[in-house]
């Protein structure tokens, strides 16, 4: 695992949280722990997890509500934790957008297998649909739209293609000429300033606090830094 995938675990039972975290960290995942959905939601944008493991029965805000709120911001995988035999809970969770569920008491190996399967399925789906998901930003090439900090936005086609090209290869430096060739085509009659103008527009529109940035590599071009 080149970069540790971050997983958010939410359960009001501290022992359950520690047990799940132990299994996940042993497999090389990074874990953020919460015992309250309200607190987890307040810190969601800061933590930017790549998967959420969420208990249904929580104080203040239950797992169903939390799942609904996450789906307003992102389509990242969600695995619900439910008590044994609560069939209604499982169905409702899946209808609200959960990807899978774990039944208490659970086996650690089974839980890890489900986590890996959901992440693998999610990654495959994103690739086939040309949808890219990173913290606070989902780029969907199917309808040329983005979801930025939970809100859907539309960008002009060239801006979106430029953003997608950079974001799909994090930390790789693209020269202006490479971007011109890739986005505008080899026959494009223009100059590298075209790229600069489009980058400037993208930065002006996506100017909130992010865990990533489009960085200028002086004298060369640009890179998308996570």
């Amino acid at each position: 695992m080149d970069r540790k995938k971050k997983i958010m675990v939410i359960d009001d039972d501290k022992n359950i949280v520690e047990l799940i975290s132990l299994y996940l960290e042993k497999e090389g995942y990074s874990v953020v722990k919460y015992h309250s959905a309200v607190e987890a939601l307040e810190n969601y944008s800061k933590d930017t997890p790549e998967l959420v493991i969420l208990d249904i029965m929580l104080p203040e805000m239950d797992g169903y509500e939390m799942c609904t709120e996450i789906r307003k911001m992102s389509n990242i995988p969600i695995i619900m934790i439910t008590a044994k035999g609560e069939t209604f809970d499982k169905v409702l969770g899946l209808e609200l957008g959960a990807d899978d569920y774990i039944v208490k008491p659970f086996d650690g190996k089974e839980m890890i297998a489900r986590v890996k399967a959901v992440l693998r399925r999610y990654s495959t789906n994103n690739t086939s649909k040309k949808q890219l998901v990173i913290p606070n930003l989902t780029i969907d090439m199917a309808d040329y739209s983005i979801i930025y900090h939970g809100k859907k936005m539309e960008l002009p086609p060239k801006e979106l293609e430029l953003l997608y090209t950079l974001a799909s290869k994090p930390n790789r430096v693209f020269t202006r000429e490479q971007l011109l060739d890739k986005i505008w085509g080899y026959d494009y009659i223009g100059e590298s300033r075209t790229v600069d103008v489009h980058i400037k527009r993208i930065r002006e529109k996506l100017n909130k606090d992010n865990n990533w940035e489009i960085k200028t590599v002086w004298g060369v071009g640009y890179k998308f830094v996570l």
Side-chain angles (χ1 to χ4, degrees):
M1 198 177 296
D2 295 332
R3 179 179 63 85
K4 286 187 176 182
K5 283 183 166 38
K6 185 184 290 186
I7 297 179
M8 178 181 283
V9 180
I10 310 163
D11 195 311
D12 60 335
D13 186 329
K14 294 183 179 180
N15 292 327
I16 293 290
V17 171
E18 292 304 319
L19 182 61
I20 292 174
S21 300
L22 187 66
Y23 283 119
L24 292 172
E25 288 168 352
K26 188 176 179 181
E27 290 294 319
Y29 296 104
S30 170
V31 182
V32 286
K33 313 168 191 177
Y34 289 98
H35 307 297
S36 158
V38 173
E39 185 183 1
L41 201 57
E42 288 173 352
N43 290 282
Y44 183 84
S45 294
K46 174 176 69 70
D47 290 328
T48 55
E50 289 158 283
L51 181 144
V52 173
I53 297 178
L54 173 64
D55 188 31
I56 289 176
M57 301 305 292
L58 292 166
E60 299 178 89
M61 175 188 290
D62 65 26
Y64 301 131
E65 294 173 278
M66 177 69 174
C67 184
T68 302
E69 291 302 313
I70 291 174
R71 281 290 167 260
K72 292 178 183 177
M73 300 183 286
S74 172
N75 65 341
I76 68 161
I78 299 173
I79 297 178
M80 305 288 280
I81 304 174
T82 180
K84 187 176 180 179
E86 293 175 344
T87 305
F88 176 74
D89 287 348
K90 301 172 191 175
V91 173
L92 181 57
L94 294 171
E95 286 179 348
L96 290 173
D99 297 88
D100 203 349
Y101 59 87
I102 300 169
V103 179
K104 295 179 185 177
F106 56 84
D107 176 77
K109 290 181 180 179
E110 180 190 354
M111 183 204 69
I112 292 298
R114 287 181 180 272
V115 166
K116 289 180 176 179
V118 168
L119 284 170
R120 185 168 57 247
R121 187 166 65 243
Y122 178 72
S123 176
T124 301
N125 288 343
N126 280 347
T127 301
S128 64
K129 294 177 182 177
K130 289 197 77 173
Q131 185 183 76
L132 186 65
V133 180
I134 56 178
N136 298 322
L137 177 66
T138 300
I139 306 171
D140 193 340
M141 297 301 291
D143 64 356
Y144 270 67
S145 69
I146 66 171
I147 298 175
Y148 181 57
H149 282 269
K151 294 184 178 180
K152 189 168 183 176
M153 296 172 57
E154 292 185 2
L155 296 179
K158 294 304 180 190
E159 290 181 26
L160 190 73
E161 290 168 16
L162 183 56
L163 179 61
Y164 181 87
T165 298
L166 291 167
S168 63
K169 303 287 185 182
N171 304 314
R172 171 182 165 182
V173 179
F174 287 85
T175 67
R176 290 172 174 83
E177 289 71 27
Q178 285 174 327
L179 293 170
L180 274 174
D181 289 343
K182 191 168 183 65
I183 308 302
W184 284 268
Y186 287 99
D187 297 326
Y188 179 76
I189 309 284
E191 57 173 329
S192 60
R193 177 163 166 73
T194 301
V195 176
D196 298 340
V197 171
H198 280 73
I199 292 290
K200 182 174 182 289
R201 289 173 181 166
I202 293 170
R203 284 171 170 165
E204 287 172 350
K205 293 172 182 176
L206 309 183
N207 59 2
K208 295 181 181 179
D209 290 334
N210 303 304
N211 287 16
W212 46 262
E213 65 172 323
I214 300 175
K215 191 170 183 178
T216 302
V217 181
W218 296 107
V220 182
Y222 297 92
K223 66 177 178 177
F224 191 94
V225 180
L226 278 173

